[in-house]
Amino acid sequence: MKLQAKTRLLAKVGKPLNSKSSGTYVCALPDNKSRTKLVHISSALGHPISTEESEDLHSTVIYSKGAFPSKFDFSRQYFGAKITGLEFWDGHDDDGYVVVTLDSPDLIAENRRWTALGLKHSFEDYTPHVTLFSKIDKTEDLIQRINRLTSKVAGTTLVFDQLQLEGLKD
């Protein structure tokens, strides 16, 4: 996906990556326009997101327990993605998640770049996505809303223009 290059600070550090960290977490943050699109999708599903909550929207690039990168390189300017759909995912902790699934060669390449730096993704298959909301029960009404809205949002372009690097807590 070709987009015009943007100039913006690309790296942001959340929880420091240090000797007390149990691993490494990297995520891509949506630009303001994309964040607004995601907020509208969540509202259309009946789960409005506050301005404060919208700051937490992200796409995980890698979540690696017990591993730390050999070096950091934040030279990438942006990551393009297209929405492929909306899905309900059953959580590992009996909580449900509603996610926006993404087609993003950029995010897949970034995941591979971090694995080449020595990190190992905690899930076998890396699937670019944004979690809109979680801790929700799967209901027929919710699934119908997801299915109706998917056809309206599929193909929508999102841009992630900042990476966030964090150390995992013990």
Side-chain angles (χ1 to χ4, degrees):
M1 176 175 301
K2 299 285 185 193
L3 299 172
Q4 289 184 346
K6 296 182 175 187
T7 304
R8 177 166 174 167
L9 174 66
L10 190 64
K12 174 179 169 180
V13 176
K15 298 171 195 86
L17 183 63
N18 58 35
S19 61
K20 294 181 181 180
S21 300
S22 63
T24 306
Y25 175 73
V26 179
C27 66
L29 306 176
D31 67 7
N32 289 333
K33 187 175 180 181
S34 297
R35 185 178 298 107
T36 299
K37 291 176 186 179
L38 293 166
V39 167
H40 286 296
I41 291 169
S42 189
S43 292
L45 289 170
H47 290 271
I49 296 174
S50 70
T51 302
E52 185 176 293
E53 291 169 324
S54 75
E55 294 296 319
D56 293 332
L57 291 170
H58 66 277
S59 181
T60 297
V61 172
I62 197 151
Y63 184 99
S64 182
K65 291 184 178 180
F68 305 94
S70 55
K71 62 181 178 177
F72 305 141
D73 174 11
F74 296 105
S75 59
R76 190 74 192 246
Q77 293 295 310
Y78 59 84
F79 305 92
K82 287 208 181 265
I83 295 175
T84 57
L86 304 170
E87 295 181 7
F88 181 92
W89 288 0
D90 291 314
H92 58 277
D93 50 7
D94 293 328
D95 287 331
Y97 301 85
V98 174
V99 302
V100 175
T101 56
L102 304 172
D103 174 21
S104 179
D106 290 346
L107 289 171
I108 290 170
E110 187 67 2
N111 171 268
R112 290 182 180 148
R113 192 174 72 78
W114 284 95
T115 57
L117 292 173
L119 302 181
K120 182 179 180 187
H121 201 64
S122 59
F123 298 98
E124 279 192 37
D125 294 328
Y126 172 68
T127 305
H129 69 279
V130 175
T131 300
L132 290 178
F133 48 92
S134 62
K135 298 183 180 181
I136 188 160
D137 292 327
K138 185 177 185 177
T139 65
E140 186 60 34
D141 180 58
L142 177 61
I143 299 305
Q144 287 177 2
R145 282 184 277 148
I146 288 170
N147 291 339
R148 279 194 303 269
L149 191 55
T150 290
S151 63
K152 294 179 182 176
V153 299
T156 300
T157 300
L158 300 177
V159 175
F160 298 83
D161 65 351
Q162 190 175 33
L163 285 178
Q164 182 168 307
L165 172 71
E166 295 184 357
L168 298 177
K169 292 181 181 178
D170 287 331

